[in-house]
Amino acid sequence: MDRKGIIGIVIPAIVLLVWWQYNTREMNKLAATRAAQQAEQAKAAEAEAKKTAATNAPAGTPAGTPAGTPGETKPAAPAAPAAPAVPEKTETLDTDSVAYTFTTRGAGIAKALLKKHEAEHGTRMTLNEFGDMPIGSVTDLPGQISNVAFHYATDLPAGVITFEGSDERGLHLTKKFNVPKSTNLNKDYIVTMRLVFDNRSKQPITVPAYYVNTGSAAPVHQKDRIDYTGFKWPGAKFVDVTWFSGGMFKKEHGTYTATHEGIPWAAVADQYFTTIVTPQVDSENKDTPSKERGNSVWATRFQISDDVWKATSHDADGSSSARYGIEGALGMPGFTLAPGQMQVQIFHIYTGPREYGRLKTMPDGQVEVLAFSDFGGIFSFLGPFVGFFSKVLLYSLNSLHAWVGSYAIAIIIITLLIKAILWPMQNKATKAAKRMQALSPKMTEVREKFQDDPQKMNAEVMKLYKEYGVNPLAGCWPAFIQMPIFFGFYNMLGKAVELRNAKFLWVQDLSQPDTVFHLPGLDFPVNILPIFMAATMVWQMKASPKTGDPQQQKIMMIMPLIFVLFCYNYASALALYLTVNNLVSVVQLYATRNQALPTLQKLPKKK
């Protein structure tokens, strides 16, 4: 490669690295500014709440009002709710998989500690760890706590806790939670909530549309991709926390709202875990339950401060980047109760991992919370194809893991199987590349002869292809076919909870970058696998037959850098897949490189 070619590769690399550093610093400054603004808003909201705390809102109605119109307000800390009439009490019910902490504040699940899933520093993964709204709490307005005073009774052997409370209108609310006894795939992590509205007054009571809160989701690690935390309901795109941010072409949003008849469930999710609230239309309960689906959804994001983040045993890694969580709710239709009349609605609440096999057993399409087909950005048109490959690859990964006992080995085997399937096509592509290589001297003559007339040069080159029966795209087909597979891997590996804490050699977690240390003073992580992957890609390019314009070959040398930037801070499993893929390609190229160049002959002209 000449000096110009080297400069053409080095300069863009330097520009990209400088941009990365500058962008990181600017994002940190912006996050700090927003955090300060939100802290001031929180103080103002708290002061206002204290002024109105003594005022009793209508029973069953949450204290405080939403700040502005949904979808148009700017993010702000929610107003502090009025203090309940009695002190908050909590009770923990345990299963083999989850420790549920129930609270009288809103009569819901304050926390769900997942016993089989690690978080950081030896702690267990906790759902709704940062949110203010209990999972399953019922309110007239989303994101607000009811001031109804609840009391509770438990039947610990049966795994049952029952909350009861009445408002001043005589509307009595009973919430009975049954925690799962079975660890079967279709029952574990699912709590049943039986909700009863009972009119104990002498007058009809109109219950307006109410909301069942999903609780919150937040990143698991400091440097998790921010767009993996969000809100999901069937038929809609995954609403990640970046949706609420303003930008050059969109305004900032405080809330996300949507209305639709027959919404079967709503969920909040982080990269690997989710909470799903599902109203049940059928029940084995003796009482006749309401068979209502949801008719609206609501969500908002909130910022997690450094102090709160570190206080919950999370590693900040010296970063001051903004962290966002999200809260959501499912809106249910209102109704009117005559004196003595009851309304019963059953809900299932899932608090657990986003495991494909587990979610697939749920009857209302909850597997959609994985959002495999929600492939965003400029490649959104690939969503259906990427989703298909993601599901096939995840199923294959889990099947192989059950056989070999290692996800890293399973990834290597899948890569080898894919390469074996594409081997015949790759051989044809290599032969086509050699035909192009044999034609290269004639193409060089044409380019030199018509270098001052690009249009004539291109016409003559195309004429050469036609005369000698050479297809310049024949060597590209394997790459084109592998693109959906690559995106499928990329999409799947970023959401596969199965890979969490899976180890391989020096890699401690295949779902995270394989950082071995940080460069002093720069806070720049040194990740080995992406660097090794880039080295194997350069090796593959060096071993490939030289075809096409030499200048184009030099430009292609920047591809390893692009792939490094693409997956440097991504799941190390992706770099493992690409590394094995490149190594097998190199072996294949060396197996065929000693073959003599084909003898080209002009095709007979058609009469």
Side-chain angles (χ1 to χ4, degrees), residues 123-202:
T123 61
R124 299 291 98 182
M125 183 65 203
T126 302
L127 303 189
N128 205 35
E129 187 171 24
F130 301 102
D132 186 62
M133 298 298 300
I135 303 167
S137 58
V138 175
T139 58
D140 291 344
L141 294 175
Q144 303 291 324
I145 286 287
S146 171
N147 64 346
V148 171
F150 287 96
H151 60 275
Y152 72 93
T154 60
D155 182 353
L156 296 182
V160 174
I161 184 169
T162 304
F163 294 90
E164 294 191 60
S166 296
D167 66 16
E168 61 184 13
R169 298 173 297 174
L171 179 64
H172 189 80
L173 191 65
T174 303
K175 300 172 74 175
K176 181 180 179 181
F177 293 90
N178 288 77
V179 301
K181 297 179 181 179
S182 171
T183 57
N184 290 345
L185 198 64
N186 62 340
K187 295 182 179 179
D188 203 11
Y189 298 101
I190 298 176
V191 172
T192 300
M193 181 178 77
R194 183 174 183 268
L195 177 62
V196 182
F197 296 91
D198 183 7
N199 183 359
R200 296 186 178 182
S201 73
K202 297 181 179 180

Side-chain angles (χ1 to χ4, degrees), residues 557-588:
M557 289 299 293
I558 201 173
M559 290 301 294
L561 177 62
I562 293 174
F563 269 83
V564 166
L565 295 175
F566 197 76
C567 66
Y568 195 78
N569 285 316
Y570 201 66
S572 54
L574 181 65
L576 175 62
Y577 159 71
L578 289 172
T579 300
V580 176
N581 184 76
N582 294 340
L583 289 174
V584 176
S585 297
V586 168
V587 171
Q588 187 175 14

Side-chain angles (χ1 to χ4, degrees), residues 65-80:
T65 56
T69 305
E72 298 181 357
T73 58
K74 292 187 177 182

Side-chain angles (χ1 to χ4, degrees), residues 497-561:
V497 66
E498 292 88 344
L499 290 176
R500 291 195 74 243
N501 301 308
K503 296 176 174 56
F504 178 66
L505 299 178
W506 68 88
V507 183
Q508 297 302 308
D509 188 344
L510 284 170
S511 70
Q512 296 291 310
D514 63 322
T515 304
V516 291
F517 64 91
H518 288 75
L519 293 178
L522 297 177
D523 192 36
F524 186 84
V526 176
N527 303 333
I528 300 299
L529 265 177
I531 297 174
F532 188 51
M533 177 272 296
T536 60
M537 185 173 289
V538 172
W539 188 10
Q540 178 185 354
M541 295 172 71
K542 291 289 186 180
S544 299
K546 302 299 182 288
T547 62
D549 188 342
Q551 194 63 31
Q552 292 177 356
Q553 296 175 20
K554 295 173 183 178
I555 293 174
M556 287 300 292
M557 289 299 293
I558 201 173
M559 290 301 294
L561 177 62

Side-chain angles (χ1 to χ4, degrees), residues 140 169 171 199 203-209 334-338:
D140 291 344
R169 298 173 297 174
L171 179 64
N199 183 359
Q203 301 293 330
I205 296 178
T206 297
V207 178
F335 50 88
T336 299
L337 294 177

Side-chain angles (χ1 to χ4, degrees), residues 28-83:
N28 291 343
K29 290 179 183 178
L30 178 62
T33 302
R34 288 185 175 178
Q37 292 174 347
Q38 292 187 354
E40 291 298 323
Q41 292 171 343
K43 290 180 181 179
E46 184 177 359
E48 182 65 24
K50 288 180 179 179
K51 292 180 181 179
T52 59
T55 304
N56 290 328
T61 304
T65 56
T69 305
E72 298 181 357
T73 58
K74 292 187 177 182

Side-chain angles (χ1 to χ4, degrees), residues 190-336:
I190 298 176
V191 172
T192 300
M193 181 178 77
R194 183 174 183 268
L195 177 62
V196 182
F197 296 91
D198 183 7
N199 183 359
R200 296 186 178 182
S201 73
K202 297 181 179 180
Q203 301 293 330
I205 296 178
T206 297
V207 178
Y210 64 97
Y211 288 84
V212 180
N213 291 283
T214 63
S216 66
V220 181
H221 305 286
Q222 163 65 17
K223 294 186 177 180
D224 284 353
R225 279 185 47 172
I226 189 173
D227 56 342
Y228 277 145
T229 301
F231 179 80
K232 177 70 176 176
W233 60 284
K237 290 285 187 179
F238 188 75
V239 183
D240 66 72
V241 294
T242 64
W243 181 90
F244 299 88
S245 302
M248 186 177 298
F249 300 105
K250 66 174 184 176
K251 63 180 181 179
E252 192 172 359
H253 295 281
T255 57
Y256 168 83
T257 58
T259 58
H260 193 278
E261 292 301 319
I263 299 175
W265 53 267
V268 289
D270 58 48
Q271 188 168 0
Y272 301 111
F273 302 94
T274 184
T275 299
I276 310 173
V277 173
T278 306
Q280 300 298 295
V281 295
D282 295 307
S283 174
E284 297 178 357
N285 197 284
K286 294 181 180 179
D287 295 327
T288 302
S290 169
K291 296 186 178 181
E292 297 285 1
R293 295 289 199 184
N295 61 1
S296 66
V297 291
W298 172 93
T300 189
R301 78 172 182 181
F302 59 90
Q303 189 166 4
I304 305 169
S305 68
D306 284 348
D307 291 341
V308 173
W309 180 262
K310 294 176 182 178
T312 50
S313 299
H314 285 79
D315 191 355
D317 290 333
S319 173
S320 58
S321 299
R323 304 172 207 88
Y324 291 104
I326 196 165
E327 291 181 328
L330 174 65
M332 300 294 293
F335 50 88
T336 299

